[in-house]
Amino acid sequence: MTSGRFLPYSRQSIDDDDVAAVAAALRSDFLTTGPLVEQFEKAFAEATGAPHAVCCNSGTAALHLPAMALGLGEGDSAVVPTTTFLATANVVRMTGAEVVFADVDPETGLMTAETFDAALDRARAAGQTVSAAFPVHLNGQLCNMADLADIAAPAGVRLVEDACHALGVSGIGACEHSVAACFSTHAVKAIATAEGGVVTTADPDMAARMARLRNHGMSRDAAMFSERDLAFTGGAANPWYYEMAELGYNYRLPDVLCALGVSQLKKLDRFLDRRRELAALYDRLLAPLAPAVRPIRHGNRPHGWHLYVALIDFAALGTTRAAVMQALRASGIGTQVHYIPVHRQPYYRARYGALDLTGADAYYARCLSLPLFPDMADDDVRRVVDTLQASI
Ligand SMILES: Cc1ncc(COP(=O)(O)O)c(C=O)c1O
């Protein structure tokens, strides 16, 4: 990336190999579902250590599939940290279940054992049955899944990881403490398939069900057929026959995009190494701006570095986040805010009323995502820090 161009907060890294892979897929027999779907799923499972991977056409679909496969619906509730993208909560509502918003740690934005417990207590007091929870590995930081599982298991709550920010982090995708982990391959994520998503699970039945739900709920597996008169002629399955036992969606990821996914996955480790280097440089260059500007403390814990977030005390600096963002933009630097607490969205306020989630509010008041993507140069980081310093 050259220093003179507009520097977005994130951006995909596409090279000639990716272009060639997509071009080859375009010239092949399949544009939609073909051999590359399975190839992408296999490569993704290998890259994440997941027993099973089911790809689909967005991270939102990747969250909706396990929500459906778990049987969430009216009368159920699911815990979602309020500091996340809308989709984590919305998929719960798409099933008809209710969202119980959990607060987050004000320093990391993550749901913790304490905030999870508090959300469960609130739901119990309101007479709600919580059957699932969706911890979010925000920015690429990992939730403490073992701690959350210790609380979830005795309460009969199944954990679905929103790992849209954490592809490539060791152990994420293997589902040691969860029933599923959900990834996005949207353009600005760790790897890009333009739009796309993948859900991983250790449960083969759940994987098979999610694969059916991704394709209209349709099955061509003769062992599943229940309408014997329609399905079989002389004991053999009819060659045209398919059956739908439950309502599904068209959440299929086309071969053309799976080609991009296979090509991008080969570079995942390199992308992450570069993100890690850039984050370390930010940490070093921002250190003199403490305590008013402070990177999230991550120690040496594994991190996906999807986003580089600085916590900034705008009030103490006598400025506002809007003014700082505008000043950076005027200097050709894009930044973003991840996220407006979802419980504050008009749809959810109308449904659940005002909630007092002070950790999320404190995180939201200070967070600013600075540019971070593998094609950035070290000089880009220097420019961001210098410009930030001049703007506060
Ligand atoms: C935490 C989180 N969950 C879910 C999603 C939804 O993913 P997609 O945009 O691929 O549908 C995103 C995407 O921004 C996300 O950041």
Side-chain angles (χ1 to χ4, degrees):
M1 198 90 200
T2 55
S3 299
R5 282 189 21 213
F6 183 79
L7 186 67
Y9 86 87
S10 187
R11 188 189 147 77
Q12 69 277 12
S13 298
I14 299 292
D15 65 16
D16 289 348
D17 291 348
D18 298 317
V19 174
V22 172
L26 284 170
R27 291 192 189 97
S28 78
D29 291 339
F30 299 93
L31 289 186
T32 57
T33 300
L36 285 162
V37 173
E38 213 179 305
Q39 208 177 308
F40 180 46
E41 290 178 338
K42 198 159 166 283
F44 199 94
E46 268 164 26
T48 55
H52 306 278
V54 176
C55 68
C56 52
N57 54 19
S58 70
T60 306
L63 286 157
H64 192 201
L65 288 170
M68 287 189 283
L70 287 176
L72 283 186
E74 265 179 54
D76 289 317
S77 297
V79 173
V80 174
T82 189
T83 302
T84 185
F85 183 57
L86 304 170
T88 325
N90 289 354
V91 299
V92 173
R93 289 295 305 126
M94 287 179 203
T95 68
E98 300 298 339
V99 179
V100 178
F101 285 109
D103 204 358
V104 299
D105 181 321
E107 298 305 311
T108 63
L110 295 177
M111 182 167 78
T112 63
E114 292 72 33
T115 64
F116 180 35
D117 229 0
L120 289 175
D121 281 348
R122 215 174 64 240
R124 281 187 203 111
Q128 289 173 274
T129 308
V130 176
S131 40
F134 290 72
V136 177
H137 301 304
L138 187 74
N139 308 331
Q141 309 165 98
L142 302 191
C143 295
N144 189 330
M145 290 302 297
D147 280 3
L148 297 180
D150 281 347
I151 295 168
V157 174
R158 272 87 45 95
L159 296 179
V160 176
E161 295 170 78
D162 183 333
C164 288
H165 295 186
L167 174 58
V169 189
S170 162
I172 298 300
C175 301
E176 191 187 345
H177 299 291
S178 66
V179 291
C182 312
F183 300 87
S184 167
T185 53
H186 174 274
V188 300
K189 299 296 196 292
I191 63 160
T193 61
E195 298 277 2
V198 183
V199 50
T200 65
T201 180
D203 177 344
D205 293 336
M206 182 140 171
R209 187 158 176 207
M210 292 193 295
R212 282 196 301 278
L213 288 165
R214 156 185 77 181
N215 191 21
H216 306 281
M218 205 170 117
S219 175
R220 290 185 186 276
D221 177 359
M224 307 273 304
F225 295 160
S226 62
E227 298 296 320
R228 302 203 64 82
D229 290 350
L230 286 172
F232 297 99
T233 303
N238 289 320
W240 67 86
Y241 193 73
Y242 52 86
E243 209 167 74
M244 174 192 145
E246 63 180 328
L247 187 64
Y249 292 76
N250 179 350
Y251 277 169
R252 298 186 305 256
L253 187 67
D255 248 38
V256 173
L257 297 184
C258 288
L260 183 54
V262 171
S263 175
Q264 286 264 295
L265 264 182
K266 293 179 188 152
K267 291 169 269 194
L268 175 61
D269 288 345
R270 176 158 62 76
F271 287 165
L272 279 177
D273 284 347
R274 184 61 186 148
R275 285 177 181 273
R276 216 171 279 127
E277 276 173 16
L278 292 163
L281 183 57
Y282 266 127
D283 281 354
R284 194 156 56 73
L285 297 180
L286 286 172
L289 305 189
V293 178
R294 216 161 32 70
I296 293 179
R297 285 192 202 93
H298 51 84
N300 286 325
R301 289 188 295 278
H303 198 309
W305 291 117
H306 167 55
L307 295 170
Y308 188 91
V309 177
L311 298 177
I312 303 179
D313 190 342
F314 296 98
L317 291 163
T319 184
T320 62
R321 180 163 50 198
V324 172
M325 286 181 81
Q326 275 154 9
L328 287 165
R329 176 156 283 271
S331 300
I333 295 169
T335 54
Q336 204 26 293
V337 174
H338 297 93
Y339 292 98
I340 304 163
V342 183
H343 74 279
R344 290 188 168 276
Q345 294 295 341
Y347 170 83
Y348 286 108
R349 270 187 86 104
R351 193 160 189 90
Y352 302 127
L355 299 174
D356 195 23
L357 301 175
T358 52
D361 286 341
Y363 181 85
Y364 170 60
R366 294 170 298 151
C367 65
L368 189 67
S369 302
L370 305 179
L372 181 69
F373 54 94
D375 290 347
M376 273 173 69
D378 288 3
D379 275 349
D380 291 324
V381 175
R382 291 190 188 97
R383 178 159 76 101
V384 173
V385 175
D386 289 349
T387 314
L388 177 65
Q389 189 164 14
S391 73
I392 55 180

